[in-house]
Amino acid sequence: MRVGVLTGGGDCPGLNAVIRAVVRKGVQEHGFEFVGYRDGWKGPLEGLTMPLGVEQCRGILPRGGTILGSSRTNPFGIEGGVEQIKDNLASAGVDALVAIGGEDTLGVATRLAELDVQVVGVPKTIDNDLSGTDFTFGFDTAVNIATEAIDRLHTTAESHHRVLVVEVMGRHAGWIALHSGLAGGASAVLIPEQPFDIERVCAFVETRFETQYAPIIVVSEGAVPIEGGEMTLVSGEKDAFGHVRLGGIGDRLAAEIEQRTGKEARAVVLGHVQRGGTPTAFDRWLATRFGLQAIDAVAEGDFGTMMALRGTRIERVPLSEGTAELKLVSPEEYAEAMVFFG
């Protein structure tokens, strides 16, 4: 069997670990041949391939990013895109695809599976917002990077008696902000699921200064004020899947806090730092297990499935289940953490 492998959407630590696991087990135990598709769905759409075997996978386990490259190409947004993918797979002799990605990449995989393309999905996203799986790889690394940044910012905030606002990634889900904020001892964590009251945030700031402690505010890029707020949060740009580009909440929030409290406030935007670099041990472990199970699913002809972590077990769920809805922070989970804020 000839198997194509692609990585789509935003890069994240652990992608190379999946590729390595898929290829090594596929070659050694199943006798498969592999084709690497470059730059996400753009690869099978345009026939962009690279050699992919055991040799190409040596030494990539600790590397961040993806040796296959990535993009946010949406074949369903291109006239004749699906037929082009099918034709290119057939001409390359590719029998099945392993698609590694998040909401958008696996959303395409779900629709292709419904059109009889033999595809298996592996969930990745630093946002940890895919339903069907307890955790996605990349999330743990992003949280650790954000937590380390918060740890470092505490000392400079205290030295200068400043408010520091740390903007982390999270378009619709606040998992990175919530986990890193709790782990880093933030004064407040603002997430997309729970619109924030700027007056309450300022009250948290004042309380912290009263105890001679400089506050750290952690905010997801997609956080919004309560209805009636006037903060500008997004630019007008959209990607191929219709997502607007978020940004600016950290700077705007810092300016509002400084204006309302009279305390000096600065914003730190972590941005793509959260995506890059060496994956944590947990993410290498999870990504490797996902890859091993994914190639077994291909060998067994169990297409249209996504690998999922359930407790400590890797299970297969329908792709449609994994992409049915976003996994968001519940009001109960947020309320539980609130005891540490303020």
Side-chain angles (χ1 to χ4, degrees):
M1 179 179 282
R2 202 162 197 233
V3 181
V5 183
L6 65 86
T7 54
D11 66 297
C12 80
L15 284 167
N16 286 323
V18 179
I19 297 167
R20 172 179 175 268
V22 165
V23 171
R24 289 191 62 172
K25 188 170 188 179
V27 170
Q28 295 171 1
E29 292 198 14
H30 300 299
F32 292 162
E33 181 183 353
F34 288 89
V35 175
Y37 278 107
R38 300 299 308 269
D39 302 336
W41 289 111
K42 185 177 181 180
L45 185 67
E46 300 182 10
L48 306 177
T49 65
M50 63 172 278
L52 188 61
V54 173
E55 182 178 351
Q56 286 76 26
C57 294
R58 290 196 177 106
I60 68 173
L61 177 63
R63 285 175 54 185
T66 164
I67 62 170
L68 296 177
S70 189
S71 75
R72 297 191 183 276
T73 302
N74 180 5
F76 286 94
I78 299 170
E79 186 175 355
V82 174
E83 290 73 20
Q84 199 168 328
I85 284 179
K86 288 184 174 182
D87 290 344
N88 285 334
L89 293 177
S91 62
V94 172
D95 304 294
L97 278 176
V98 175
I100 310 164
E103 170 197 3
D104 296 323
T105 301
L106 295 187
V108 170
T110 301
R111 295 177 67 181
L112 288 176
E114 294 168 352
L115 297 172
D116 300 322
V117 175
Q118 298 190 144
V119 59
V120 165
V122 175
K124 72 87 203 161
T125 168
I126 64 170
D127 292 330
N128 196 42
D129 59 359
L130 276 178
S131 58
T133 182
D134 291 347
F135 284 99
T136 54
F137 69 87
F139 172 67
D140 186 69
T141 302
V143 168
N144 274 274
I145 291 169
T147 301
E148 182 180 353
I150 294 167
D151 288 345
R152 293 176 181 275
L153 291 169
H154 272 297
T155 56
T156 186
E158 291 164 17
S159 297
H160 293 275
H161 312 293
R162 289 177 178 147
V163 184
L164 283 179
V165 177
V166 184
E167 181 182 319
V168 300
M169 284 185 166
R171 175 186 299 275
H172 302 296
W175 295 108
I176 294 176
L178 186 63
H179 281 236
S180 64
L182 277 174
S187 305
V189 172
L190 312 179
I191 62 175
E193 296 91 332
Q194 299 289 327
F196 64 86
D197 181 348
I198 185 63
E199 291 294 341
R200 190 178 187 193
V201 174
C202 290
F204 286 158
V205 167
E206 297 282 13
T207 299
R208 277 301 175 102
F209 276 119
E210 288 172 4
T211 60
Q212 304 299 310
Y213 194 82
I216 301 284
I217 311 297
V218 179
V219 56
S220 296
E221 61 183 342
V224 294
I226 57 175
E227 188 175 359
E230 298 177 351
M231 295 187 179
T232 301
L233 306 181
V234 300
S235 72
E237 299 178 44
K238 293 185 179 182
D239 64 19
F241 291 92
H243 301 307
V244 294
R245 179 177 295 179
L246 302 185
I249 181 62
D251 287 325
R252 184 64 177 139
L253 188 60
E256 287 285 336
I257 290 172
E258 186 165 317
Q259 179 182 348
R260 291 167 184 255
T261 67
K263 307 295 185 181
E264 184 180 4
R266 302 284 180 85
V268 177
V269 182
L270 296 185
H272 288 77
V273 170
Q274 296 157 91
R275 291 194 182 280
T278 301
T280 61
F282 179 84
D283 278 340
R284 298 185 205 188
W285 168 86
L286 180 57
T288 297
R289 293 187 68 197
F290 277 158
L292 296 175
Q293 291 292 329
I295 200 60
D296 282 347
V298 171
E300 296 167 17
D302 195 5
F303 300 112
T305 58
M306 183 191 87
M307 305 307 105
L309 179 68
R310 300 284 181 86
T312 60
R313 295 174 56 85
I314 305 296
E315 300 179 3
R316 300 174 196 169
V317 300
L319 270 168
S320 57
E321 178 180 332
T323 58
E325 59 183 3
L326 291 178
K327 182 178 66 181
L328 304 177
V329 177
S330 70
E332 293 76 19
E333 288 168 303
Y334 188 66
E336 182 181 54
M338 286 294 292
V339 68
F340 292 102
F341 303 147

